Amino acid sequence: MLRKSRSGAPLAPMDNRPMQLQKFLVPLGCAALLFLAHRSFGWPGVAAVSGGLVMWLLLHFTRLMTVLKRTAHRPIGHVDSAVMLNAKLKPGVTLMHVIAMTRALGERVSTEGAEPEVFRWTDGGHSTVEAEFKTGKLVRWQLARPDPDAPTPAPAQASDAASTPP
């Protein structure tokens, strides 16, 4: 999915400069808050700001653990409805947000460590959504539906030999 400018010309895929800056700005902002707290209120100010920062970190950690706990009991790459997932996706959302929406880890399509990362989610009707993430943010995705004329694959039998009498 390419974004369009006001003139209708396609724009390049979203660049993730804000994500790169975030690596430096968040720790720098935390240090600035601690410095200002010490300068204004002394050590009690540093203790109060440190407590706030620890709470902020704990909130993010709790959200991450909750999302991963929900995905633990679902098959990898499965989603209830690929069409609904396709409708809910927006450029720039994080991989963790998509995992929270699907409640399942995506099936990795790209090679390990490759950039951009590509993940696939499939529903019960064999429709798939392939999502491409660059530096952790969604840049493009594509819905693929199975051909309605093609025969549907039969589910694999657990064991034909075990079901036949001796």
Side-chain angles (χ1 to χ4, degrees):
M1 297 228 140
L2 291 178
R3 297 179 302 153
K4 303 262 184 198
S5 67
R6 288 185 180 168
S7 65
L11 293 174
M14 290 186 60
D15 77 20
N16 287 317
R17 277 186 234 145
M19 181 87 168
Q20 298 297 329
L21 288 176
Q22 199 173 19
K23 290 180 188 177
F24 301 107
L25 291 180
V26 170
L28 196 63
C30 292
L33 277 174
L34 288 169
F35 175 76
L36 289 173
H38 183 269
R39 196 149 157 95
S40 299
F41 302 104
W43 289 110
V46 170
V49 169
S50 296
L53 291 174
V54 167
M55 287 300 294
W56 179 69
L57 286 172
L58 286 173
L59 282 172
H60 283 285
F61 180 76
T62 302
R63 174 160 163 71
L64 176 66
M65 290 296 113
T66 303
V67 166
L68 292 178
K69 187 177 175 183
R70 286 181 186 152
T71 64
H73 303 292
R74 300 275 306 251
I76 292 177
H78 177 75
V79 68
D80 292 331
S81 173
V83 175
M84 290 303 295
L85 174 62
N86 181 57
K88 289 180 182 179
L89 291 176
K90 295 179 179 101
V93 298
T94 62
L95 177 58
M96 188 175 95
H97 185 82
V98 175
I99 290 172
M101 279 194 303
T102 61
R103 295 181 178 220
L105 297 173
E107 176 187 352
R108 182 184 290 272
V109 176
S110 60
T111 58
E112 183 74 30
E115 190 68 28
E117 295 177 307
V118 180
F119 293 94
R120 178 187 307 133
W121 285 270
T122 307
D123 66 7
H126 303 289
S127 296
T128 62
V129 173
E130 279 195 12
E132 183 178 314
F133 295 87
K134 190 168 184 178
T135 61
K137 300 272 185 165
L138 182 64
V139 288
R140 68 177 58 90
W141 66 95
Q142 182 177 12
L143 172 68
R145 290 184 161 186
D147 185 19
D149 297 332
T152 57
Q157 297 293 327
S159 164
D160 288 335
S163 63
T164 58

